[in-house]
Amino acid sequence: MPSSRTHRTDTDVVVIGGGPAGLAAAHHLTSAGLAVTVLEASTRPGGRLATGRVDGYHLDHTSWLPVPGTPELRRLPAPLPIRRLTGGVLLHGAERVHRVGGSPRHPSPRHQRTLASTFDQTWLRANLGHLGSLSESRLRARPELPAHAALASRPIPARITEGSLRPLLTALLGDPELIASRRLSDLTLRAFARSGLGMPSGGNDVLPRLLADALPPGTVRTGVRATSVATTAVATEEAGTFRCRAVLLATGAREAARLVPGIRVPEFHPVTVLHHAAPEQLQAGPELIVDTARRGPVTHTLAASAADPCRAPAGHTLVTSVVLGGEAAQPPDVLDKAARAQLGTLYGAPAHDWELLATHHDAEAIPALPPPYAPHRRVRLIDGMYVCGDHRATPGVAGDLSSARRAAEALLWDAGVRPADLAEEAAA
């Protein structure tokens, strides 16, 4: 570490926040030989990637559908078990269902009559395939526009724009108004076109558990909340002061700004996740259903146990649904009542007797990323103070992981320690 920080310390680095960003940063730092202490305010690590377990059901607190093959997932200390959504995405309109990104050979029984090789479906497949073949530099060279403006500027039939592309992008981005940069939307669509979607086997918390298990024993301290920070010390209410040589903030943007005033706090998109238990095995496949007809508050839904059978007891189905935008703030009983008829239509089975297992609302679930596109926001604040999280990169877990790696690399470079992965790349 820098000679200016050679005083007696308790640890080399204090990471504040035990979510995916903090745990990933700790993994990179400990792998480089530094002593790290992760402070997590809650009683468990994992942050937003929490999974409750009720009567044999695995209930995620947030919606995360990772794209298999994402580069940051390949950097994990062990492979993340992912169940692919081999059925792709079903765009469920008022009259017809279009399947994109999945295998057309195995349509769900309830959709066999509505799935057809229509012009719209052929157009979607061809254009998504073309998008998947484009390089990132080609996409970044396109003019900066909000995603909704980019859609409106293209010579696409309105029925495809409004009935397919806009609902698909809304579901993939979690951005109901599509205010995000078109560069983010293009890259998101390209990743979907190339690799489809998946879900962590067993629940979202498998990722933080995987990261935490790779850390030296005693690295993570739960139930400890930071009250103030400096480059050489972190004060807490519960455990006193931790002396260190550097600090890495890996909390949400608002908490990071509380500890270090001046850190930008973006706007956010709220999300509510509903979990229903169907008392029988639904005829549903491993596919994401997007309601393009907007029949109710649910933007998209998934028979989670069809893709990952361990998420529900045998003979039952776990239905996980996502509400975006202003409707996400409505009380759970209001959303539940409004969603049942909608879900019954989407799944082709009455939903009046489904049990509502849990609802989880997050008012600051997804950082808004309007133009200009800035996936690599500054992670080094000053020598000895660093910050990571999806508010410093692209929204979501991939942004958590990429910003954690960048912040760890910046810290290591300042400390004169060269990360092993950079050394390997330089030698190649």
Side-chain angles (χ1 to χ4, degrees), residues 7 21 36 71-72 92 100 119 130 151 187 195 203 223 228 250 314-315 320 341-342 361 410:
H7 61 284
V36 178
E72 293 301 332
H92 200 301
V100 292
F119 170 81
H130 173 68
L151 280 179
L187 289 169
S195 302
S228 65
T320 297
Q342 178 188 17
H361 174 70

Side-chain angles (χ1 to χ4, degrees), residues 3-391:
S3 59
S4 61
R5 275 183 268 284
T6 57
H7 61 284
R8 189 165 61 89
T9 63
D10 301 309
T11 187
D12 289 328
V13 183
V14 171
V15 175
I16 303 176
L23 295 173
H27 167 64
H28 292 300
L29 295 171
T30 58
S31 296
L34 299 189
V36 178
T37 298
V38 178
L39 304 181
E40 168 56 44
S42 71
T43 57
R44 52 143 192 90
R48 77 184 78 176
L49 294 186
T51 302
R53 288 167 175 82
V54 178
D55 298 331
Y57 293 93
H58 295 204
L59 311 176
D60 291 332
H61 288 202
T62 191
S63 174
W64 178 40
L65 298 174
V67 175
T70 299
E72 293 301 332
L73 295 182
R74 294 198 296 267
R75 296 176 182 267
L76 295 174
L80 180 71
I82 292 180
R83 296 278 189 168
R84 288 179 176 269
L85 301 189
T86 55
V89 175
L90 294 182
L91 302 173
H92 200 301
E95 298 179 354
R96 190 173 299 279
V97 174
H98 300 306
R99 184 188 300 275
V100 292
S103 171
R105 296 189 298 254
H106 305 290
S108 299
R110 69 188 185 287
H111 294 310
Q112 285 178 349
R113 295 181 180 179
T114 56
L115 281 167
S117 298
T118 63
F119 170 81
D120 292 359
Q121 186 160 322
T122 302
W123 187 96
L124 282 170
R125 286 187 176 276
N127 280 270
L128 283 174
H130 173 68
L131 186 64
S133 69
L134 296 180
S135 67
E136 185 169 336
S137 60
R138 286 276 302 276
L139 296 180
R140 288 176 184 256
R142 293 180 173 183
E144 270 281 33
L145 290 170
H148 68 84
L151 280 179
S153 68
R154 297 183 63 189
I156 305 172
R159 70 178 184 279
I160 296 179
T161 298
E162 297 302 317
S164 298
L165 283 177
R166 179 182 286 273
L168 176 61
L169 273 175
T170 295
L172 294 178
L173 294 172
D175 178 0
E177 304 300 326
L178 294 186
I179 64 172
S181 164
R182 67 100 55 89
R183 294 180 182 175
L184 174 62
S185 67
D186 284 348
L187 289 169
T188 301
L189 273 179
R190 186 187 72 152
F192 167 68
R194 287 181 169 184
S195 302
L197 300 173
M199 58 193 310
S201 180
N204 286 347
D205 66 351
V206 67
L207 174 60
R209 286 192 285 111
L210 183 154
L211 288 167
D213 289 347
L215 297 175
T219 298
V220 181
R221 297 280 300 270
T222 59
V224 180
R225 184 173 186 266
T227 57
S228 65
V229 301
T231 57
T232 57
V234 175
T236 73
E237 291 180 354
E238 300 83 359
T241 298
F242 290 81
R243 295 164 298 179
C244 57
R245 295 187 173 93
V247 173
L248 197 161
L249 299 169
T251 66
R254 198 169 302 281
E255 176 66 4
R258 180 186 72 83
L259 293 169
V260 180
I263 290 180
R264 173 182 172 270
V265 179
E267 299 294 323
F268 295 92
H269 301 302
V271 174
T272 292
V273 178
L274 306 173
H275 293 290
H276 288 95
E280 58 187 19
Q281 192 74 37
L282 293 180
Q283 294 297 307
E287 59 214 9
L288 188 71
I289 304 174
V290 178
D291 187 359
T292 65
R294 302 176 179 87
R295 301 170 177 87
V298 170
T299 304
H300 53 278
T301 183
L302 166 71
S305 54
D308 186 11
C310 73
R311 293 188 180 228
H316 295 260
T317 302
L318 172 63
V319 176
T320 297
S321 307
V322 174
V323 181
L324 301 174
E327 288 181 298
Q330 293 181 353
D333 59 332
V334 174
L335 287 177
D336 179 39
K337 182 177 180 180
R340 286 182 182 265
Q342 178 188 17
L343 293 173
T345 299
L346 296 176
Y347 285 97
H352 63 273
D353 60 343
W354 293 5
E355 179 185 359
L356 179 64
L357 295 171
T359 64
H360 297 286
H361 174 70
D362 187 347
E364 298 186 348
I366 303 173
L369 193 63
Y373 182 57
H376 299 121
R377 291 185 176 85
R378 187 164 57 103
V379 293
R380 182 187 186 274
L381 301 179
I382 58 174
D383 183 16
M385 184 73 68
Y386 309 84
V387 61
C388 65
D390 68 347
H391 55 97

